[in-house]
Amino acid sequence: MEPMIPAQQVVELALQAATVDETVVIVTDRAEASLRWAGNSMTTNGVSTTRITTVISIVRKGDTSHTGAIRTSDVDPAAIPLLVAAAEQAAHAAPNARDSAPLLPGEGIPDDWNAPVPETGAAVFADVADSLSAGFGRADRLYGYAHHLVETTFLATSTGIRRRFTQPTGTVEINAKRDGASAWAGVSTPWFVEVGTDALLDDLAMRLGWASRTVELPAGRYETLMPPSTVADMMIYLGWSMDGRGAEEGRTALSAPGGGTRVGEKLTGLPLTMYSDPFAAGLQCAPFVAAAGSSESVSVFDNGMDIGRVDWIRDGVINALAYPRAAAAEFGTAPAVPADNLLMTGGSADLADMIAATERGLLLTTLWYIRTVDPTTLLLTGLTRDGVYLIEDGEVTAAVNNFRFNESPLDLLRRATEAGVAEQTLPREWGDWATRAVMPTLRIPDFHMSSVSQAQ
């Protein structure tokens, strides 16, 4: 089999084959490694490399614009002209694009454009594997996996844009089991340097110790401490829902009664700020738009546009919504594009102190199977899993049964009475799509456990 030609060459071949008004080419080279273990034994590992090439063709017809986007994993250079032709055919047949805007001009070739593409492999897991191997000697049964993905994206347009970014994404997830009890913990890491696997194992052992006593509780509203992972699962969904067009058109939970948006509304008296920032330390992500398709938050016409920090909530007040350039012009506001991370800061309490200050309540460590009930209020439902614990008189005293919950992240912020220090965390439900998060612990005085779940 012939080796793949460099991604940079694919980009130029696609642009040379283009015949329509404007063309965008996105090539992403992916290197992936994984490691799995079950019942205190390593089971499988694997390494793979793939390439995804996307061509976006733009046809201008008077005052209208029409786009067609086709993607392929075919690495044969002979497939490139066929890919371009298919995208152009799709553009000619497409309806008018509501997000139409001029493509941005280029600023030359970046210094790293022709640098080698970084790779990954099983060796990246060496420290994690050593730590796990030591953990296999404990009484608890360990299950889980580690995953590393290194994606290098090359973006080019017929207007001269050339941008490149390498995104490393790593996760470790561990389930520990003892005497019928189960606990989950996870961590995200870009390059598996100083991953705190030993600390995860200690935390899991502590939780399984709490589960030596079990208590059955009915559905109801409970004072609940939500550690960073569970807060991330709820707030990431909020971040995904903060598009300006939907709010302006009265279709989302960020729409104001009577018209307009809820920007400027105070959500909470806590000094919480939720933001995305491509340059956040330890959570770096692409600082430019690389969109293979348009949505209400991003536009293919904005490809190559710089992404900066956006404070979506600032000091407890809804501060911004996501607007591609066309939507921003339509609604008379500034463009705002989310980066591929989410942070919330403003709390200062330590989780141990928050537990100590709880007379009776729940410690909710992980969420699972979150789905939308009502997008107009952002009401979500989901399940607890692998660890809900009872706090009595400032101490964790038992594990309790699982529940189904009904909550809105907006309402959680409104009702939160205390926030802990922000920590880097891995959401469990959204960990396959959103690994770069920093969140606080939140105290919710009346978290709604709507029914008892039979899930174990």
Side-chain angles (χ1 to χ4, degrees):
M1 181 176 177
E2 300 245 349
M4 292 192 300
I5 66 173
Q8 301 92 326
Q9 190 174 344
V10 173
V11 162
E12 301 307 331
L13 288 173
L15 291 176
Q16 290 167 17
T19 65
V20 296
D21 296 291
E22 293 152 323
T23 303
V24 179
V25 183
I26 304 172
V27 180
T28 301
D29 281 352
R30 298 164 53 101
E32 198 164 2
S34 61
L35 176 68
R36 293 182 178 273
W37 54 93
N40 289 14
S41 296
M42 296 296 178
T43 57
T44 60
N45 65 78
V47 177
S48 65
T49 58
T50 55
R51 170 177 289 167
I52 300 296
T53 302
T54 303
V55 173
I56 304 163
S57 298
I58 301 171
V59 174
R60 309 280 186 178
K61 300 177 181 178
D63 293 333
T64 65
S65 300
H66 310 263
T67 66
I70 303 292
R71 61 185 295 177
T72 184
S73 58
D74 195 334
V75 298
D76 185 350
I80 297 172
L82 301 177
L83 178 66
V84 174
E88 293 185 349
Q89 183 179 11
H92 281 293
N96 180 42
R98 183 164 66 167
D99 59 329
S100 175
L103 287 188
L104 295 166
E107 299 179 353
I109 305 294
D111 293 340
D112 66 345
W113 180 256
N114 291 309
V117 173
E119 299 180 350
T120 189
V124 76
F125 303 127
D127 290 343
V128 170
D130 287 345
S131 181
L132 283 168
S133 295
F136 291 164
R138 300 185 182 190
D140 302 333
R141 308 296 286 175
L142 303 180
Y143 302 78
Y145 62 93
H147 180 252
H148 196 220
L149 174 64
V150 180
E151 294 183 300
T152 300
T153 297
F154 296 84
L155 169 69
T157 71
S158 54
T159 56
I161 288 175
R162 299 291 185 277
R163 305 204 71 166
R164 168 184 170 155
F165 186 79
T166 294
Q167 182 68 75
T169 302
T171 58
V172 178
E173 298 192 43
I174 307 174
N175 270 90
K177 300 181 184 295
R178 181 196 305 170
D179 298 330
S182 178
W184 174 92
V187 64
S188 64
T189 173
W191 287 107
F192 285 84
V193 176
E194 297 181 355
V195 177
T197 313
D198 291 340
L200 289 183
L201 295 176
D202 290 342
D203 186 46
L204 290 167
M206 178 177 64
R207 293 191 215 170
L208 292 175
W210 293 338
S212 61
R213 173 177 176 246
T214 59
V215 173
E216 296 293 320
L217 293 178
R221 292 187 176 272
Y222 291 91
E223 181 170 355
T224 299
L225 297 183
M226 298 181 65
S229 176
T230 57
V231 174
D233 268 325
M234 297 298 283
M235 295 307 143
I236 285 168
Y237 206 96
L238 172 59
W240 287 341
S241 304
M242 297 188 75
D243 57 274
R245 179 178 291 280
E248 299 276 5
E249 295 177 352
R251 296 185 280 107
T252 76
L254 280 303
S255 303
T261 74
R262 293 173 64 182
V263 169
E265 177 182 324
K266 191 173 185 63
L267 276 180
T268 174
L270 299 176
L272 296 174
T273 294
M274 187 177 84
Y275 65 97
S276 57
D277 180 0
F279 303 103
L283 288 84
Q284 291 90 342
C285 52
F288 58 86
V289 175
S294 293
S295 68
E296 295 199 342
S297 298
V298 296
S299 168
V300 296
F301 293 92
D302 293 347
N303 270 307
M305 184 176 76
D306 287 336
I307 296 175
R309 170 171 168 157
V310 181
D311 289 358
W312 306 104
I313 297 170
R314 182 183 294 163
D315 293 330
V317 176
I318 301 173
N319 182 67
L321 299 175
Y323 291 89
R325 286 186 298 150
E330 179 179 346
F331 296 109
T333 189
V337 178
D340 192 21
N341 60 24
L342 194 65
L343 303 89
M344 180 179 284
T345 58
S348 58
D350 181 79
L351 175 58
D353 292 337
M354 295 175 75
I355 292 173
T358 303
E359 182 176 347
R360 182 177 173 85
L362 300 179
L363 176 63
L364 177 59
T365 60
T366 71
L367 302 180
W368 185 252
Y369 206 72
I370 301 172
R371 298 294 183 266
T372 305
V373 175
D374 182 0
T376 63
T377 60
L378 208 60
L379 180 64
L380 307 178
T381 190
L383 300 173
T384 70
R385 184 174 179 178
D386 296 323
V388 188
Y389 302 98
L390 178 64
I391 305 171
E392 297 176 296
D393 297 323
E395 294 184 357
V396 180
T397 60
V400 304
N401 48 278
N402 282 308
F403 298 94
R404 174 170 292 281
F405 67 87
N406 287 334
E407 283 289 1
S408 162
L410 287 167
D411 216 29
L412 289 176
L413 291 176
R414 181 181 63 81
R415 288 159 32 226
T417 56
E418 186 179 16
V421 64
E423 300 176 13
Q424 187 167 342
T425 190
L426 178 68
R428 186 177 191 184
E429 172 72 356
W430 309 124
D432 288 342
W433 300 276
T435 63
R436 286 169 283 278
V438 166
M439 291 288 152
T441 296
L442 291 181
R443 183 187 298 275
I444 309 299
D446 53 354
F447 192 93
H448 186 202
M449 300 299 187
S450 56
S451 63
V452 172
S453 169
Q454 300 307 311
Q456 296 299 315

